Amino acid sequence: MITSYLTHPALAQHDMGHHHPEAPMRLEAIRARLMLSGLLQQTMQSEPVPVTRAQLERVHAPAYLDRLATHLPESGLYEIDSDTRLCPDSLKAAALASGAAVRGVDLVCRQRADNVFCAVRPPGHHAEHQLAMGFCFYNNVAVAAAQALAIHGIERLAILDFDVHQGNGTVDIFRDDPAVLVCSSYQQGFYPWRYLDGDWDNIVNTPLAAGTDGKVFRQAIERDWLPALEAHRPQLILLSSGFDAHRDDPLGQLMLDHEDFHWITTLAMDVARRHANGRLVSILEGGYHPQALPLSVEAHLQALLGQAYHP
């Protein structure tokens, strides 16, 4: 089993200000934990190159991309909304994050890795076709999906989004696209309050009540996602991997544990083996507790490496 680990030191240059939860230390905490456990050394590590404008335009409006570039400050911060701010290096980091997603797809589709984890920031699943929000500028998983469809001959793929927040940007970009099945679990009645209602054949929403634990979460995923995945028969699995559904995360009230992230990763890998020759790319989304995040990613990576969960 070859698991590729993609990240880049310049991702730390995106900084939305003091006390912002989406902070540069997130990736350093992950790296430190994976080094300590020895898991990082078991992966094939490499760095991405920035995404191209043409790759971004597959999922984002050109005028939106121009507007982001226009707002990029020479110093300080430009506030898009109360949660989402540009610093001088934000789009450089965002381009590398989406570039990692593209490289991940290229690696698995060219059989150079079995699966990939993209340890990247800023996250992407709230970024809509022409709207930045929720800490997100470029929709990394959508860019990855578009790369698979445009370049690698993939006809059907699935995006599995487990996060305390719904992946509204991914829904916005792919609703009514029969090639892309989007399954999203999230805390019910919670941010972003968009696309929670809607009837699209390719969108599977799994809202979870505040306080939902791992047992109920697993039952809901098996009930909602597995029938849709078996019907869709995806040739590639993409994961929007959000670890802010952890019980200790400060941004939500779901009660998942590290082992639940190992479980859902294993489930996704089982689907990938049945339908996609094992091809799977995971892209980091949420996760904001400095201790819970790296431990959750450790459990996730154990599953990607084909290992049983062990704390």
Side-chain angles (χ1 to χ4, degrees), residues 33-34 37 39 262 265-266 269 295-311:
R33 177 64 198 179
L34 297 180
S37 68
L39 282 183
H262 185 279
T265 309
T266 301
M269 291 175 67
L295 291 172
S296 297
V297 172
E298 179 183 44
H300 183 60
L301 205 61
Q302 285 174 358
L304 292 178
L305 288 162
Q307 300 176 9
Y309 173 70
H310 52 89

Side-chain angles (χ1 to χ4, degrees), residues 153-164:
I154 297 294
E155 297 176 346
R156 300 178 309 279
L157 63 85
I159 297 172
L160 309 183
D161 186 320
F162 55 92
D163 191 281
V164 82

Side-chain angles (χ1 to χ4, degrees), residues 163-221:
D163 191 281
V164 82
H165 307 107
Q166 186 214 37
N168 61 289
T170 311
V171 174
D172 178 70
I173 291 165
F174 290 118
R175 65 188 193 277
D176 286 325
D177 184 340
V180 181
L181 174 69
V182 179
C183 301
S184 182
S185 65
Y186 51 89
Q187 184 173 320
Q188 188 171 21
F190 202 44
Y191 184 92
W193 306 293
R194 298 166 66 82
Y195 294 114
L196 301 181
D197 298 316
D199 186 16
W200 301 286
D201 290 341
N202 66 316
I203 307 297
V204 179
N205 282 325
T206 301
L208 304 166
T212 292
D213 63 11
K215 179 181 178 181
V216 175
F217 167 73
R218 297 183 190 200
Q219 291 171 343
I221 295 301

Side-chain angles (χ1 to χ4, degrees), residues 44-295:
M44 181 176 69
Q45 301 172 56
S46 62
E47 294 180 355
V49 298
V51 72
T52 67
R53 171 78 179 216
Q55 289 165 340
L56 287 173
E57 286 186 2
R58 292 177 184 147
V59 301
H60 290 299
Y64 164 70
L65 298 174
D66 292 342
R67 191 162 63 248
L68 278 180
T70 299
H71 291 319
L72 196 68
E74 293 184 6
S75 62
L77 297 171
Y78 175 84
E79 188 170 285
I80 294 173
D81 60 39
S82 59
D83 294 323
T84 313
R85 307 162 195 160
L86 288 166
C87 79
D89 292 312
S90 292
L91 295 187
K92 176 182 178 181
L96 285 167
S98 285
V102 168
R103 177 163 170 75
V105 166
D106 291 345
L107 286 171
V108 298
C109 288
R110 293 171 180 160
Q111 299 181 345
R112 296 178 183 172
D114 296 296
N115 56 57
V116 176
F117 179 66
C118 301
V120 296
R121 56 179 295 275
H125 71 156
H126 293 310
E128 298 185 357
H129 178 63
Q130 49 188 338
L131 180 67
M133 60 183 289
F135 314 163
C136 302
F137 307 101
Y138 303 153
N139 193 309
N140 304 321
V141 77
V143 171
Q147 175 76 359
L149 295 168
I151 300 301
H152 295 290
I154 297 294
E155 297 176 346
R156 300 178 309 279
L157 63 85
I159 297 172
L160 309 183
D161 186 320
F162 55 92
D163 191 281
V164 82
H165 307 107
Q166 186 214 37
N168 61 289
T170 311
V171 174
D172 178 70
I173 291 165
F174 290 118
R175 65 188 193 277
D176 286 325
D177 184 340
V180 181
L181 174 69
V182 179
C183 301
S184 182
S185 65
Y186 51 89
Q187 184 173 320
Q188 188 171 21
F190 202 44
Y191 184 92
W193 306 293
R194 298 166 66 82
Y195 294 114
L196 301 181
D197 298 316
D199 186 16
W200 301 286
D201 290 341
N202 66 316
I203 307 297
V204 179
N205 282 325
T206 301
L208 304 166
T212 292
D213 63 11
K215 179 181 178 181
V216 175
F217 167 73
R218 297 183 190 200
Q219 291 171 343
I221 295 301
E222 290 177 339
R223 178 195 69 222
D224 293 354
W225 292 14
L226 286 183
L229 286 163
E230 292 305 310
H232 191 64
R233 295 177 293 114
Q235 298 164 313
L236 173 68
I237 299 291
L238 302 176
L239 303 182
S240 271
S241 299
F243 301 100
D244 44 6
H246 191 277
R247 64 175 61 248
D248 294 334
D249 198 275
L251 266 62
Q253 292 86 41
L254 296 183
M255 302 295 286
L256 303 191
D257 246 322
H258 316 305
E259 192 169 3
D260 297 309
F261 299 120
H262 185 279
W263 174 85
I264 196 167
T265 309
T266 301
L267 179 145
M269 291 175 67
D270 289 342
V271 175
R273 275 191 290 268
R274 286 198 299 276
H275 299 294
N277 295 320
R279 294 178 294 209
L280 182 150
V281 178
S282 171
I283 302 164
L284 180 64
E285 299 286 0
Y288 304 101
H289 189 281
Q291 286 79 45
L293 172 61
L295 291 172

